[in-house]
Amino acid sequence: MIDLSQVTVAFGGRVVLSDVTLSLQPGDFFFLTGPSGAGKTTLLRLCAGAMAPAKGEVRLFGRPLSEMTSDARASARRRMGIVYQDTQFLDHLPLEENVLLPFTVRGRLDAELRAQADDLMTWVGLAGHRAALPPTLSGGERQRAALARALLTAPELVLADEPTGNLDWEMSLKLLTLLIELNRLGTPVLMATHDLALIRAAKPLVNARVLRLKDGQLTQAGAAL
Amino acid sequence: MTILDFLRGDPGAGRVVPPAGSTGRLVGLGTAAMAFLAVFAIALAAMLFRLGDSWRTDLADTATVRITSLGEARDADTETALEVLRTTPGIASARVIPDLEQQALLEPWFGKDLPLDSLPLPRLIEVATEGGGFDARALDLRLAGEVPAARLDDHDRWRAPLARAQGRMTGVTLAALALIAATLAAVTALAARAALSANAQVIDVLRLVGARDTWIARAFVRRITLRAFLGAAGGSLLAAAILATFPAAGTAGLPALRPGGLAWALLVPVPLFAALVAWITTRRSALRMLKGRP
C-alpha cells in the first residue's frame, strides 16, 4: 500500500532520513519509535504524500508519488486516516465540523455521517464539546478529536503521529485497542510513539513490529513484540 | 460548473475559509475604485462617440459654396450659383448666409466690432443635402463653368481628420479601460495570494483530510469574486449617482457627459466584468500558488 525505497530527506543540509526503506502492507502494525527530532513526523508525512524525498522513491497505493498530480495525492489521502501532532484543525469551526471535514471536502455530508461522527465523538469522550472551538480544548481533547476524524472515513490505512501523547493511560489504551481492532480487519497501522509502556501493552493483543529511527537510519527492532 | 452553481456556492467550501478580514476589504475597496473610474471612462467614451457622430452627421449633410468675387459681380455670381444649386439633384436647399450671421461666426476670432463691409470676405452659401447627397465632382465642374468665382466645399477634408481624432480618443478611452481592468486583475491576484498565504494552516488541514486543490482554490476564489462584485457594484452605483447629478444637456458644443436613456445600460456590465476578471485572476493565482506548495 505504501512503499518507501531508499528514501533520503534533508532540511537545510541536515539529513533527517537516510536511505530509508519501508513497506506498509495490509495487516501490518508498526510502532515507530525514536528520540525527538529523529524524523518520525517526516517519515509519516512522506507516507501521507505530504512531502517529496530528496532521493529515493515513495509509492502510494502502487503509484510513484513523483508521478502523481495534486488531485491524485488528494485521492490517496482520502484512503488514509491521518493523525498529526499539530495543525490539524480549522480554529474558526466547531469541533464537530472539524471532525466532519473529510466529508465536507468530498461534498457529501448526510444525516447518517453526522450520526456516525456523533457516535465517534461520544466514544472518545467529546460528546459535550461538539460546538467547542479547537483552541478552547486541551491537547488530549484535540488528539481524541483528530483520531475520531481519522477513523470516521473508515480508512484503508492509518498513519498516526503520537496519537496518545497527551492522553491519560486509560484513554491511550482505549485508542490502542481501537487501532488494533481496525488492524485485525486488515487495516495497516503505522503509529509513531515514544511511549514504551503502550508498546508493551500492545504485545499480547497484536502482532506488531517496532521500527526505530535514529540518526536518520531506520532499523527494525525487528522482532515482533 | 454553472454560474448558478458558483453563485449558490458550496456551503462546505464557504465555511472552511475564515472571515476575509483586511484582504476582503482590500478587494472591495480596490474594485470599488476601479469600477468608479471605469464608469466615468465609459461615460466619457459614450460622450466622445456622440460628439464624433454629431460632427460627422453635421458635416456630411451640409456643404458650403464660397463666392469670392467682389462688388456688383458678387450679387450676380451669388444668384447664378443659387440657380445652379437649386437645379442640382441631391440638394434640399441653399441659402445665403446673412452678414449678421457671418459676423456671429467670425466673432469668436475677430471680436464684436468686425467691419464686414471693409473686409474682402467671401459670401457664403449654405447647402443642405437630401437623400444620398449630390455629386460633388459634377457640381464643382458645373460651378467652375458657370460661376468661376464660386468654390464648393463639401467638408470632406474636415471629416477625415475628425474621424481620426475620434478614433484616437476612443483608443485612449479603451486603453484607460484596459489599464483599469489590468489594475483590477493585479489587485485581486495579490489579494488571492495574501489570502492563501495568511491561511497556510487552513490549506494544510484541508489537504490532510483529502481536499483537492481545485476545491481549496474554489473556496477562496468564490469569496474574493463576490467581494469584487460587491465592491464594483458599490463603485459603479456611486459613479452613476454622481453622473446623474450632471446636466442632461451639453454645453459649449459638447454633448452631455451624463448618459441618456439606454446608455445607462452600458454601466450594468461593469460589476459583472469586475467579477469575471477577479474570478479568472484569483483562480489562476490560487491554483498556481497551491501547485507551488508541497
Side-chain angles (χ1 to χ4, degrees), chain A residues 50 70-71 74-75 77-78 82 84 87-90 92-93 97 101-102 104-106 149, chain B residues 10 12-13 15-19 201-202 205-215 294:
Chain A
S70 66
D71 276 2
S75 296
R77 263 180 233 128
R78 289 181 180 191
I82 306 170
Y84 286 146
T87 63
Q88 304 192 77
F89 295 101
L90 301 182
H92 62 288
L93 288 185
E97 296 287 320
L101 260 187
T104 303
V105 303
R106 288 163 168 83
R149 183 175 65 194
Chain B
D10 176 345
R15 279 199 306 276
V16 298
V17 180
Q201 186 191 334
V202 172
V205 173
L206 293 175
R207 281 182 161 171
L208 172 74
V209 297
R212 296 201 162 100
D213 283 356
T214 45
W215 191 89

mmCIF file of all heavy atoms in Angstrom, chain A residues 50 70-71 74-75 77-78 82 84 87-90 92-93 97 101-102 104-106 149, chain B residues 10 12-13 15-19 201-202 205-215 294:
data_model
loop_
_atom_site.group_PDB
_atom_site.id
_atom_site.type_symbol
_atom_site.label_atom_id
_atom_site.label_comp_id
_atom_site.label_asym_id
_atom_site.label_seq_id
_atom_site.Cartn_x
_atom_site.Cartn_y
_atom_site.Cartn_z
ATOM 1 N N ALA A 50 2.659 14.055 1.745
ATOM 2 C CA ALA A 50 2.633 15.486 2.041
ATOM 3 C C ALA A 50 3.973 16.148 1.744
ATOM 4 O O ALA A 50 4.087 17.375 1.822
ATOM 5 C CB ALA A 50 2.262 15.708 3.498
ATOM 6 N N SER A 70 -1.599 16.637 -8.014
ATOM 7 C CA SER A 70 -2.110 17.023 -6.690
ATOM 8 C C SER A 70 -3.462 16.352 -6.439
ATOM 9 O O SER A 70 -3.770 15.986 -5.298
ATOM 10 C CB SER A 70 -2.218 18.542 -6.576
ATOM 11 O OG SER A 70 -3.201 19.025 -7.463
ATOM 12 N N ASP A 71 -4.259 16.198 -7.486
ATOM 13 C CA ASP A 71 -5.553 15.516 -7.326
ATOM 14 C C ASP A 71 -5.355 14.054 -6.937
ATOM 15 O O ASP A 71 -6.089 13.517 -6.097
ATOM 16 C CB ASP A 71 -6.366 15.582 -8.637
ATOM 17 C CG ASP A 71 -7.126 16.893 -8.745
ATOM 18 O OD1 ASP A 71 -6.984 17.727 -7.834
ATOM 19 O OD2 ASP A 71 -7.845 17.065 -9.742
ATOM 20 N N ALA A 74 -4.410 13.882 -3.390
ATOM 21 C CA ALA A 74 -5.591 14.103 -2.537
ATOM 22 C C ALA A 74 -6.438 12.831 -2.477
ATOM 23 O O ALA A 74 -6.928 12.453 -1.409
ATOM 24 C CB ALA A 74 -6.406 15.268 -3.079
ATOM 25 N N SER A 75 -6.574 12.166 -3.632
ATOM 26 C CA SER A 75 -7.369 10.925 -3.655
ATOM 27 C C SER A 75 -6.733 9.863 -2.778
ATOM 28 O O SER A 75 -7.427 9.107 -2.083
ATOM 29 C CB SER A 75 -7.482 10.408 -5.093
ATOM 30 O OG SER A 75 -8.200 11.335 -5.869
ATOM 31 N N ARG A 77 -4.887 10.436 -0.159
ATOM 32 C CA ARG A 77 -5.075 10.816 1.255
ATOM 33 C C ARG A 77 -6.480 10.490 1.737
ATOM 34 O O ARG A 77 -6.706 10.268 2.922
ATOM 35 C CB ARG A 77 -4.781 12.302 1.427
ATOM 36 C CG ARG A 77 -3.376 12.547 1.914
ATOM 37 C CD ARG A 77 -3.107 14.020 2.065
ATOM 38 N NE ARG A 77 -1.902 14.322 1.315
ATOM 39 C CZ ARG A 77 -1.785 15.277 0.414
ATOM 40 N NH1 ARG A 77 -2.814 16.046 0.124
ATOM 41 N NH2 ARG A 77 -0.658 15.466 -0.202
ATOM 42 N N ARG A 78 -7.429 10.486 0.816
ATOM 43 C CA ARG A 78 -8.806 10.145 1.218
ATOM 44 C C ARG A 78 -8.919 8.682 1.643
ATOM 45 O O ARG A 78 -9.881 8.308 2.296
ATOM 46 C CB ARG A 78 -9.765 10.411 0.056
ATOM 47 C CG ARG A 78 -9.945 11.891 -0.210
ATOM 48 C CD ARG A 78 -10.909 12.145 -1.332
ATOM 49 N NE ARG A 78 -11.041 13.581 -1.546
ATOM 50 C CZ ARG A 78 -11.956 14.142 -2.298
ATOM 51 N NH1 ARG A 78 -12.841 13.387 -2.904
ATOM 52 N NH2 ARG A 78 -12.002 15.452 -2.443
ATOM 53 N N ILE A 82 -5.300 9.947 8.887
ATOM 54 C CA ILE A 82 -4.029 10.565 9.292
ATOM 55 C C ILE A 82 -4.233 11.381 10.564
ATOM 56 O O ILE A 82 -5.158 12.192 10.654
ATOM 57 C CB ILE A 82 -3.484 11.486 8.176
ATOM 58 C CG1 ILE A 82 -3.374 10.713 6.855
ATOM 59 C CG2 ILE A 82 -2.128 12.068 8.571
ATOM 60 C CD1 ILE A 82 -3.073 11.596 5.653
ATOM 61 N N TYR A 84 -1.913 13.882 12.846
ATOM 62 C CA TYR A 84 -0.642 14.557 13.105
ATOM 63 C C TYR A 84 -0.629 15.101 14.526
ATOM 64 O O TYR A 84 -1.662 15.128 15.204
ATOM 65 C CB TYR A 84 -0.438 15.730 12.137
ATOM 66 C CG TYR A 84 -0.083 15.327 10.723
ATOM 67 C CD1 TYR A 84 -0.520 16.079 9.642
ATOM 68 C CD2 TYR A 84 0.719 14.219 10.469
ATOM 69 C CE1 TYR A 84 -0.184 15.731 8.354
ATOM 70 C CE2 TYR A 84 1.051 13.866 9.172
ATOM 71 C CZ TYR A 84 0.605 14.626 8.111
ATOM 72 O OH TYR A 84 0.932 14.287 6.846
ATOM 73 N N THR A 87 -1.381 21.303 13.775
ATOM 74 C CA THR A 87 -2.031 21.853 12.570
ATOM 75 C C THR A 87 -3.068 20.896 11.984
ATOM 76 O O THR A 87 -3.021 20.541 10.817
ATOM 77 C CB THR A 87 -1.013 22.216 11.464
ATOM 78 O OG1 THR A 87 -0.343 21.026 11.050
ATOM 79 C CG2 THR A 87 -0.038 23.249 11.909
ATOM 80 N N GLN A 88 -3.974 20.508 12.816
ATOM 81 C CA GLN A 88 -4.964 19.543 12.340
ATOM 82 C C GLN A 88 -6.365 20.116 12.254
ATOM 83 O O GLN A 88 -7.254 19.461 11.741
ATOM 84 C CB GLN A 88 -5.017 18.350 13.283
ATOM 85 C CG GLN A 88 -3.688 17.694 13.470
ATOM 86 C CD GLN A 88 -3.846 16.363 14.154
ATOM 87 O OE1 GLN A 88 -4.247 15.398 13.546
ATOM 88 N NE2 GLN A 88 -3.557 16.327 15.420
ATOM 89 N N PHE A 89 -6.562 21.311 12.796
ATOM 90 C CA PHE A 89 -7.930 21.816 12.887
ATOM 91 C C PHE A 89 -8.068 23.204 12.273
ATOM 92 O O PHE A 89 -7.109 23.963 12.201
ATOM 93 C CB PHE A 89 -8.365 21.876 14.362
ATOM 94 C CG PHE A 89 -8.439 20.519 14.995
ATOM 95 C CD1 PHE A 89 -7.410 20.073 15.814
ATOM 96 C CD2 PHE A 89 -9.507 19.677 14.740
ATOM 97 C CE1 PHE A 89 -7.462 18.816 16.376
ATOM 98 C CE2 PHE A 89 -9.557 18.414 15.301
ATOM 99 C CZ PHE A 89 -8.535 17.982 16.112
ATOM 100 N N LEU A 90 -9.294 23.489 11.858
ATOM 101 C CA LEU A 90 -9.634 24.851 11.442
ATOM 102 C C LEU A 90 -10.199 25.528 12.694
ATOM 103 O O LEU A 90 -11.277 25.177 13.164
ATOM 104 C CB LEU A 90 -10.668 24.828 10.323
ATOM 105 C CG LEU A 90 -10.239 24.069 9.059
ATOM 106 C CD1 LEU A 90 -11.317 24.139 7.988
ATOM 107 C CD2 LEU A 90 -8.923 24.634 8.524
ATOM 108 N N HIS A 92 -11.574 28.217 13.406
ATOM 109 C CA HIS A 92 -12.808 29.013 13.418
ATOM 110 C C HIS A 92 -14.061 28.138 13.304
ATOM 111 O O HIS A 92 -15.169 28.648 13.341
ATOM 112 C CB HIS A 92 -12.788 30.035 12.274
ATOM 113 C CG HIS A 92 -12.737 29.410 10.918
ATOM 114 N ND1 HIS A 92 -11.611 28.800 10.421
ATOM 115 C CD2 HIS A 92 -13.682 29.275 9.971
ATOM 116 C CE1 HIS A 92 -11.864 28.335 9.223
ATOM 117 N NE2 HIS A 92 -13.114 28.605 8.913
ATOM 118 N N LEU A 93 -13.862 26.811 13.158
ATOM 119 C CA LEU A 93 -15.015 25.920 13.035
ATOM 120 C C LEU A 93 -15.213 25.106 14.305
ATOM 121 O O LEU A 93 -14.244 24.691 14.939
ATOM 122 C CB LEU A 93 -14.811 24.943 11.870
ATOM 123 C CG LEU A 93 -14.908 25.482 10.447
ATOM 124 C CD1 LEU A 93 -14.808 24.330 9.457
ATOM 125 C CD2 LEU A 93 -16.204 26.229 10.235
ATOM 126 N N GLU A 97 -17.712 20.169 13.187
ATOM 127 C CA GLU A 97 -17.448 20.486 11.779
ATOM 128 C C GLU A 97 -16.047 20.020 11.393
ATOM 129 O O GLU A 97 -15.818 19.552 10.274
ATOM 130 C CB GLU A 97 -17.565 21.989 11.539
ATOM 131 C CG GLU A 97 -18.934 22.564 11.771
ATOM 132 C CD GLU A 97 -19.913 22.175 10.673
ATOM 133 O OE1 GLU A 97 -19.494 22.165 9.512
ATOM 134 O OE2 GLU A 97 -21.063 21.850 10.977
ATOM 135 N N LEU A 101 -14.870 17.230 8.502
ATOM 136 C CA LEU A 101 -14.175 17.857 7.361
ATOM 137 C C LEU A 101 -13.885 16.912 6.183
ATOM 138 O O LEU A 101 -14.053 17.301 5.022
ATOM 139 C CB LEU A 101 -12.852 18.467 7.826
ATOM 140 C CG LEU A 101 -12.818 19.971 8.073
ATOM 141 C CD1 LEU A 101 -11.392 20.408 8.366
ATOM 142 C CD2 LEU A 101 -13.369 20.761 6.914
ATOM 143 N N PRO A 102 -13.440 15.660 6.434
ATOM 144 C CA PRO A 102 -13.140 14.783 5.285
ATOM 145 C C PRO A 102 -14.340 14.618 4.349
ATOM 146 O O PRO A 102 -14.167 14.449 3.145
ATOM 147 C CB PRO A 102 -12.786 13.447 5.952
ATOM 148 C CG PRO A 102 -12.331 13.810 7.328
ATOM 149 C CD PRO A 102 -13.143 14.998 7.715
ATOM 150 N N THR A 104 -16.847 16.976 4.227
ATOM 151 C CA THR A 104 -17.151 18.312 3.694
ATOM 152 C C THR A 104 -16.386 18.529 2.396
ATOM 153 O O THR A 104 -16.940 19.007 1.409
ATOM 154 C CB THR A 104 -16.752 19.401 4.716
ATOM 155 O OG1 THR A 104 -17.429 19.142 5.940
ATOM 156 C CG2 THR A 104 -17.128 20.781 4.219
ATOM 157 N N VAL A 105 -15.102 18.146 2.402
ATOM 158 C CA VAL A 105 -14.301 18.382 1.183
ATOM 159 C C VAL A 105 -14.696 17.418 0.063
ATOM 160 O O VAL A 105 -14.389 17.669 -1.103
ATOM 161 C CB VAL A 105 -12.782 18.281 1.454
ATOM 162 C CG1 VAL A 105 -12.356 19.254 2.535
ATOM 163 C CG2 VAL A 105 -12.369 16.862 1.812
ATOM 164 N N ARG A 106 -15.353 16.328 0.412
ATOM 165 C CA ARG A 106 -15.850 15.423 -0.631
ATOM 166 C C ARG A 106 -17.211 15.880 -1.134
ATOM 167 O O ARG A 106 -17.740 15.334 -2.089
ATOM 168 C CB ARG A 106 -15.991 14.006 -0.081
ATOM 169 C CG ARG A 106 -14.688 13.262 0.179
ATOM 170 C CD ARG A 106 -14.987 12.091 1.102
ATOM 171 N NE ARG A 106 -13.909 11.134 1.233
ATOM 172 C CZ ARG A 106 -12.880 11.262 2.049
ATOM 173 N NH1 ARG A 106 -12.759 12.365 2.766
ATOM 174 N NH2 ARG A 106 -11.954 10.315 2.134
ATOM 175 N N ARG A 149 -11.793 11.842 13.764
ATOM 176 C CA ARG A 149 -11.904 12.268 12.362
ATOM 177 C C ARG A 149 -11.211 11.272 11.439
ATOM 178 O O ARG A 149 -11.729 10.938 10.367
ATOM 179 C CB ARG A 149 -11.290 13.662 12.185
ATOM 180 C CG ARG A 149 -11.440 14.171 10.764
ATOM 181 C CD ARG A 149 -10.940 15.595 10.618
ATOM 182 N NE ARG A 149 -9.511 15.674 10.850
ATOM 183 C CZ ARG A 149 -8.857 16.816 11.053
ATOM 184 N NH1 ARG A 149 -9.530 17.958 11.069
ATOM 185 N NH2 ARG A 149 -7.569 16.821 11.251
ATOM 186 N N ASP B 10 -20.714 26.256 -2.631
ATOM 187 C CA ASP B 10 -20.678 25.018 -1.861
ATOM 188 C C ASP B 10 -20.660 25.446 -0.389
ATOM 189 O O ASP B 10 -19.703 26.066 0.058
ATOM 190 C CB ASP B 10 -19.391 24.262 -2.239
ATOM 191 C CG ASP B 10 -19.214 22.991 -1.415
ATOM 192 O OD1 ASP B 10 -19.908 22.854 -0.393
ATOM 193 O OD2 ASP B 10 -18.373 22.161 -1.793
ATOM 194 N N GLY B 12 -20.078 23.960 2.242
ATOM 195 C CA GLY B 12 -18.908 23.468 2.961
ATOM 196 C C GLY B 12 -17.696 24.318 2.663
ATOM 197 O O GLY B 12 -16.982 24.765 3.573
ATOM 198 N N ALA B 13 -17.476 24.574 1.370
ATOM 199 C CA ALA B 13 -16.319 25.378 0.965
ATOM 200 C C ALA B 13 -16.422 26.783 1.530
ATOM 201 O O ALA B 13 -15.415 27.399 1.879
ATOM 202 C CB ALA B 13 -16.219 25.422 -0.554
ATOM 203 N N ARG B 15 -17.624 27.644 4.347
ATOM 204 C CA ARG B 15 -17.352 27.688 5.790
ATOM 205 C C ARG B 15 -15.874 27.504 6.124
ATOM 206 O O ARG B 15 -15.399 28.024 7.123
ATOM 207 C CB ARG B 15 -18.148 26.598 6.504
ATOM 208 C CG ARG B 15 -19.589 26.959 6.772
ATOM 209 C CD ARG B 15 -20.159 26.068 7.869
ATOM 210 N NE ARG B 15 -19.990 24.653 7.591
ATOM 211 C CZ ARG B 15 -20.809 23.930 6.850
ATOM 212 N NH1 ARG B 15 -21.848 24.504 6.295
ATOM 213 N NH2 ARG B 15 -20.601 22.647 6.628
ATOM 214 N N VAL B 16 -15.164 26.744 5.290
ATOM 215 C CA VAL B 16 -13.799 26.385 5.700
ATOM 216 C C VAL B 16 -12.826 27.559 5.642
ATOM 217 O O VAL B 16 -11.795 27.536 6.302
ATOM 218 C CB VAL B 16 -13.221 25.215 4.858
ATOM 219 C CG1 VAL B 16 -14.049 23.973 5.045
ATOM 220 C CG2 VAL B 16 -13.080 25.590 3.407
ATOM 221 N N VAL B 17 -13.160 28.565 4.834
ATOM 222 C CA VAL B 17 -12.263 29.718 4.763
ATOM 223 C C VAL B 17 -12.661 30.709 5.854
ATOM 224 O O VAL B 17 -13.815 31.110 5.942
ATOM 225 C CB VAL B 17 -12.353 30.396 3.380
ATOM 226 C CG1 VAL B 17 -11.414 31.582 3.312
ATOM 227 C CG2 VAL B 17 -12.024 29.397 2.295
ATOM 228 N N PRO B 18 -11.705 31.105 6.688
ATOM 229 C CA PRO B 18 -12.031 32.051 7.762
ATOM 230 C C PRO B 18 -12.477 33.395 7.181
ATOM 231 O O PRO B 18 -12.203 33.686 6.008
ATOM 232 C CB PRO B 18 -10.706 32.210 8.509
ATOM 233 C CG PRO B 18 -9.847 31.103 8.063
ATOM 234 C CD PRO B 18 -10.302 30.720 6.709
ATOM 235 N N PRO B 19 -13.167 34.195 7.980
ATOM 236 C CA PRO B 19 -13.598 35.516 7.509
ATOM 237 C C PRO B 19 -12.436 36.272 6.872
ATOM 238 O O PRO B 19 -11.299 36.191 7.338
ATOM 239 C CB PRO B 19 -14.079 36.208 8.780
ATOM 240 C CG PRO B 19 -14.474 35.083 9.675
ATOM 241 C CD PRO B 19 -13.556 33.934 9.357
ATOM 242 N N GLN B 201 -2.252 27.373 7.258
ATOM 243 C CA GLN B 201 -2.663 26.266 8.129
ATOM 244 C C GLN B 201 -3.980 25.653 7.647
ATOM 245 O O GLN B 201 -4.155 24.430 7.671
ATOM 246 C CB GLN B 201 -2.822 26.761 9.569
ATOM 247 C CG GLN B 201 -3.117 25.603 10.517
ATOM 248 C CD GLN B 201 -3.538 26.060 11.904
ATOM 249 O OE1 GLN B 201 -3.178 27.140 12.326
ATOM 250 N NE2 GLN B 201 -4.308 25.240 12.586
ATOM 251 N N VAL B 202 -4.870 26.516 7.187
ATOM 252 C CA VAL B 202 -6.154 26.021 6.666
ATOM 253 C C VAL B 202 -5.901 25.080 5.479
ATOM 254 O O VAL B 202 -6.489 24.003 5.374
ATOM 255 C CB VAL B 202 -7.052 27.210 6.230
ATOM 256 C CG1 VAL B 202 -8.295 26.719 5.506
ATOM 257 C CG2 VAL B 202 -7.442 28.038 7.447
ATOM 258 N N VAL B 205 -4.550 21.733 6.640
ATOM 259 C CA VAL B 205 -5.592 20.889 7.232
ATOM 260 C C VAL B 205 -6.490 20.314 6.135
ATOM 261 O O VAL B 205 -6.832 19.122 6.148
ATOM 262 C CB VAL B 205 -6.434 21.699 8.254
ATOM 263 C CG1 VAL B 205 -7.616 20.875 8.731
ATOM 264 C CG2 VAL B 205 -5.567 22.119 9.425
ATOM 265 N N LEU B 206 -6.855 21.162 5.183
ATOM 266 C CA LEU B 206 -7.748 20.690 4.116
ATOM 267 C C LEU B 206 -7.077 19.599 3.286
ATOM 268 O O LEU B 206 -7.708 18.616 2.898
ATOM 269 C CB LEU B 206 -8.170 21.864 3.221
ATOM 270 C CG LEU B 206 -9.066 22.901 3.915
ATOM 271 C CD1 LEU B 206 -9.321 24.085 2.995
ATOM 272 C CD2 LEU B 206 -10.387 22.272 4.333
ATOM 273 N N ARG B 207 -5.793 19.773 3.038
ATOM 274 C CA ARG B 207 -5.080 18.728 2.284
ATOM 275 C C ARG B 207 -4.983 17.446 3.100
ATOM 276 O O ARG B 207 -5.075 16.351 2.566
ATOM 277 C CB ARG B 207 -3.689 19.225 1.899
ATOM 278 C CG ARG B 207 -3.731 20.152 0.704
ATOM 279 C CD ARG B 207 -2.352 20.570 0.331
ATOM 280 N NE ARG B 207 -2.283 21.076 -1.024
ATOM 281 C CZ ARG B 207 -1.223 21.656 -1.526
ATOM 282 N NH1 ARG B 207 -0.140 21.796 -0.791
ATOM 283 N NH2 ARG B 207 -1.214 22.091 -2.767
ATOM 284 N N LEU B 208 -4.779 17.615 4.406
ATOM 285 C CA LEU B 208 -4.677 16.452 5.288
ATOM 286 C C LEU B 208 -5.923 15.577 5.189
ATOM 287 O O LEU B 208 -5.841 14.350 5.225
ATOM 288 C CB LEU B 208 -4.478 16.951 6.730
ATOM 289 C CG LEU B 208 -4.540 15.926 7.852
ATOM 290 C CD1 LEU B 208 -3.265 15.095 7.847
ATOM 291 C CD2 LEU B 208 -4.708 16.610 9.199
ATOM 292 N N VAL B 209 -7.087 16.215 5.043
ATOM 293 C CA VAL B 209 -8.327 15.430 5.001
ATOM 294 C C VAL B 209 -8.748 15.107 3.566
ATOM 295 O O VAL B 209 -9.862 14.649 3.344
ATOM 296 C CB VAL B 209 -9.478 16.152 5.745
ATOM 297 C CG1 VAL B 209 -9.147 16.297 7.211
ATOM 298 C CG2 VAL B 209 -9.792 17.495 5.121
ATOM 299 N N GLY B 210 -7.838 15.351 2.628
ATOM 300 C CA GLY B 210 -8.089 14.891 1.259
ATOM 301 C C GLY B 210 -8.745 15.890 0.327
ATOM 302 O O GLY B 210 -9.304 15.502 -0.705
ATOM 303 N N ALA B 211 -8.676 17.188 0.655
ATOM 304 C CA ALA B 211 -9.275 18.187 -0.248
ATOM 305 C C ALA B 211 -8.419 18.338 -1.499
ATOM 306 O O ALA B 211 -7.184 18.346 -1.414
ATOM 307 C CB ALA B 211 -9.390 19.529 0.461
ATOM 308 N N ARG B 212 -9.079 18.426 -2.627
ATOM 309 C CA ARG B 212 -8.349 18.660 -3.878
ATOM 310 C C ARG B 212 -8.023 20.147 -3.978
ATOM 311 O O ARG B 212 -8.756 20.995 -3.452
ATOM 312 C CB ARG B 212 -9.199 18.238 -5.073
ATOM 313 C CG ARG B 212 -9.477 16.748 -5.077
ATOM 314 C CD ARG B 212 -9.865 16.266 -6.479
ATOM 315 N NE ARG B 212 -9.691 14.818 -6.538
ATOM 316 C CZ ARG B 212 -10.698 13.953 -6.416
ATOM 317 N NH1 ARG B 212 -11.915 14.394 -6.245
ATOM 318 N NH2 ARG B 212 -10.465 12.656 -6.460
ATOM 319 N N ASP B 213 -6.929 20.454 -4.697
ATOM 320 C CA ASP B 213 -6.516 21.855 -4.825
ATOM 321 C C ASP B 213 -7.600 22.698 -5.501
ATOM 322 O O ASP B 213 -7.781 23.872 -5.163
ATOM 323 C CB ASP B 213 -5.202 21.950 -5.615
ATOM 324 C CG ASP B 213 -4.016 21.553 -4.743
ATOM 325 O OD1 ASP B 213 -4.227 21.292 -3.544
ATOM 326 O OD2 ASP B 213 -2.886 21.499 -5.269
ATOM 327 N N THR B 214 -8.308 22.106 -6.463
ATOM 328 C CA THR B 214 -9.353 22.877 -7.141
ATOM 329 C C THR B 214 -10.466 23.251 -6.150
ATOM 330 O O THR B 214 -11.038 24.335 -6.226
ATOM 331 C CB THR B 214 -9.963 22.080 -8.304
ATOM 332 O OG1 THR B 214 -10.215 20.755 -7.861
ATOM 333 C CG2 THR B 214 -9.044 22.045 -9.503
ATOM 334 N N TRP B 215 -10.737 22.353 -5.223
ATOM 335 C CA TRP B 215 -11.777 22.617 -4.216
ATOM 336 C C TRP B 215 -11.314 23.723 -3.270
ATOM 337 O O TRP B 215 -12.073 24.636 -2.941
ATOM 338 C CB TRP B 215 -12.076 21.327 -3.443
ATOM 339 C CG TRP B 215 -13.291 21.395 -2.566
ATOM 340 C CD1 TRP B 215 -14.573 21.094 -2.914
ATOM 341 C CD2 TRP B 215 -13.335 21.794 -1.188
ATOM 342 N NE1 TRP B 215 -15.412 21.286 -1.840
ATOM 343 C CE2 TRP B 215 -14.681 21.711 -0.761
ATOM 344 C CE3 TRP B 215 -12.374 22.222 -0.273
ATOM 345 C CZ2 TRP B 215 -15.090 22.026 0.526
ATOM 346 C CZ3 TRP B 215 -12.781 22.538 1.017
ATOM 347 C CH2 TRP B 215 -14.120 22.441 1.406
ATOM 348 N N PRO B 294 4.208 22.182 -1.326
ATOM 349 C CA PRO B 294 4.385 20.726 -1.332
ATOM 350 C C PRO B 294 3.099 20.009 -0.929
ATOM 351 O O PRO B 294 2.294 20.564 -0.218
ATOM 352 C CB PRO B 294 5.483 20.494 -0.293
ATOM 353 C CG PRO B 294 5.492 21.715 0.557
ATOM 354 C CD PRO B 294 5.033 22.837 -0.312
#
